[in-house]
């Protein structure tokens, strides 16, 4: 006699066992390979509860994590990317932009504005990696330069959370010019004695790393974030050598004096508000 009741497994047409768990309920951590309940990761601010791997989060999630509830006011939302070069690779640049706008309701690779962090006002920028890899085109550069100008006018600091693949190739030289434009704006901010805190999240690369992101009075990074100009694969293929473990990760950069601190996501808001208080003019 069977004393364990066995449930018959259901199979789909391909002969595979049908899961009764809804899709997306579980997530595999790329660092520790553990399969974890998605809700558990979400409750933990999208950080793996087993090994502290920081999953990427989008601009809105980042904003909710950092800004005091109900205090964020977006600026320059009306600025939309143009196609100055009439660029086409396998797809037209215009079509890529249209798709992002119509299907995903996304207009730019950065959201900027003003908000309070633990009751302290600051001009803020949040990169959206899912918009063309968070690449810096002319609108991104214009938005950054504009909030920096606004910060000078209001005499407050600037905090930018980067997550970017670098300059936007589809805009060619117009994109590269944003490196100089954002850096020049920050130089004015510095002359006014106002702070810029740069927060580097995974990944921060290319023209963003080579311009404003590395100009912070304090440069903060999330654990294990990839921070570089050219990525490790490009370097390995160029120099034909194997790179050291952890090369271009936040911990490696801290050890080599490129950044000032690594902060766990659950301490990020508190740390930034303390830094803003410390650096107030
Ligand atoms: Zn993990």
């Amino acid at each position: 006699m069977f004393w364990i009741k066995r449930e018959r497994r259901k199979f789909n047409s391909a002969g595979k066992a049908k899961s009764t768990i809804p899709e997306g309920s579980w997530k595999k951590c790329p660092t520790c390979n553990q399969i974890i309940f998605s809700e558990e990761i979400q409750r933990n601010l999208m950080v793996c509860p087993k090994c502290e791997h920081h999953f990427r989060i989008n601009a809105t999630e980042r904003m909710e994590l950092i800004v005091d509830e109900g205090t964020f006011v977006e600026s320059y939302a009306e600025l939309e990317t143009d196609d100055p070069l009439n660029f086409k690779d396998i797809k037209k640049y215009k079509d890529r932009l249209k798709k992002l706008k119509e299907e995903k309701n996304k207009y730019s690779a950065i959201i900027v504005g003003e908000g309070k962090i633990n009751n302290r006002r600051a001009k803020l920028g949040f990169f959206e990696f899912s918009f063309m890899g968070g690449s810096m085109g002319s609108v991104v550069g214009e938005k950054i330069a504009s909030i920096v100008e606004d910060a000078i006018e209001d005499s407050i600091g600037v905090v930018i959370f980067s997550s970017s693949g670098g300059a936007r190739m589809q805009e060619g030289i117009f994109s590269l010019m944003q490196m100089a434009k954002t850096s020049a704006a920050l130089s004015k901010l510095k002359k006014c004695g106002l702070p810029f805190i740069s927060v580097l999240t995974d990944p921060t690369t290319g023209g963003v790393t080579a311009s404003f992101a590395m100009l912070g009075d304090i440069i903060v990074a999330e654990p294990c974030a990839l921070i570089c100009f050219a990525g490790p694969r490009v370097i390995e293929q160029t120099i034909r050598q194997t790179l050291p473990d952890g090369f271009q990760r936040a911990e490696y950069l801290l050890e080599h004096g490129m950044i000032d601190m690594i902060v766990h996501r659950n301490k990020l808001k508190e740390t930034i508000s303390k830094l803003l208080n410390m650096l107030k003019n």
Side-chain angles (χ1 to χ4, degrees):
M1 197 171 87
F2 293 110
W3 55 276
I4 295 173
K5 196 181 168 195
R6 259 194 170 170
E7 203 185 315
R8 285 189 68 180
R9 297 178 83 192
K10 291 173 186 155
F11 290 85
N12 62 18
S13 55
K16 285 183 184 164
K18 236 185 192 177
S19 169
T20 49
I21 301 159
E23 228 173 276
S25 292
W26 300 88
K27 219 175 168 76
K28 188 179 179 183
C29 171
T31 304
C32 68
N33 291 324
Q34 296 270 331
I35 312 280
I36 303 150
F37 196 37
S38 293
E39 264 186 30
E40 200 183 338
I41 302 177
Q42 274 163 13
R43 274 198 304 271
N44 203 32
L45 309 175
M46 294 305 289
V47 175
C48 171
K50 312 277 180 200
C51 75
E52 313 251 292
H53 169 83
H54 283 50
F55 287 90
R56 288 178 189 170
I57 57 174
N58 65 30
T60 318
E61 289 167 326
R62 176 76 60 190
M63 198 187 296
E64 283 169 4
L65 183 81
I66 300 294
V67 185
D68 298 349
E69 205 182 335
T71 63
F72 187 76
V73 181
E74 189 177 355
S75 319
Y76 309 106
E78 72 288 356
L79 292 184
E80 278 188 38
T81 305
D82 201 8
D83 181 14
L85 303 177
N86 214 6
F87 191 88
K88 188 185 171 198
D89 44 66
I90 48 167
K91 267 189 198 168
K92 283 184 180 172
Y93 182 35
K94 272 193 189 82
D95 292 343
R96 288 182 193 273
L97 296 170
K98 200 173 154 194
K99 198 174 172 195
L100 281 161
K101 197 169 151 181
E102 287 173 0
E103 291 177 17
K104 298 195 171 169
N105 201 25
K106 289 189 171 149
Y107 296 82
S108 170
I110 194 169
I111 298 174
V112 297
E114 188 187 314
K116 286 183 178 173
I117 302 174
N118 287 337
N119 225 16
R120 185 157 186 92
R121 278 174 74 204
K123 296 289 175 188
L124 306 165
F126 301 92
F127 269 79
E128 177 60 66
F129 193 75
S130 66
F131 190 101
M132 302 195 74
S135 51
M136 179 163 67
S138 36
V139 165
V140 172
E142 176 65 21
K143 282 185 170 185
I144 293 174
S146 301
I147 55 155
V148 173
E149 298 277 350
D150 294 347
I152 295 171
E153 209 169 298
D154 294 356
S155 206
I156 56 177
V158 178
V159 188
I160 297 176
F161 298 82
S162 298
S163 173
S164 172
R168 188 169 305 163
M169 293 301 111
Q170 289 85 346
E171 291 184 27
I173 194 73
F174 295 101
S175 173
L176 296 180
M177 278 163 60
Q178 308 312 312
M179 295 168 67
K181 183 172 169 174
T182 51
S183 304
L186 285 171
S187 159
K188 279 197 228 165
L189 186 81
K190 192 181 176 68
K191 278 181 192 149
C192 296
L194 295 164
F196 168 47
I197 298 169
S198 181
V199 185
L200 315 177
T201 73
D202 185 63
T204 300
T205 67
V208 166
T209 313
S211 61
F212 72 88
M214 280 297 180
L215 294 175
D217 294 300
I218 305 278
I219 302 175
V220 180
E222 279 200 330
C224 215
L226 177 73
I227 300 156
C228 59
F229 181 62
R233 261 179 308 170
V234 174
I235 298 177
E236 270 189 339
Q237 281 163 15
T238 311
I239 64 169
R240 297 182 188 281
Q241 280 182 36
T242 310
L243 298 167
D245 278 348
F247 183 65
Q248 296 179 320
R249 294 285 165 183
E251 293 70 14
Y252 188 93
L253 268 72
L254 182 69
E255 207 179 305
H256 292 81
M258 291 287 285
I259 59 173
D260 298 302
M261 57 175 84
I262 297 173
V263 180
H264 191 289
R265 199 170 280 161
N266 62 14
K267 291 268 182 294
L268 201 52
K269 179 172 180 172
E270 184 192 330
T271 306
I272 292 168
S273 69
K274 275 186 189 163
L275 290 173
L276 282 171
N277 280 326
M278 199 177 82
L279 296 171
K280 69 182 173 193
N281 60 338

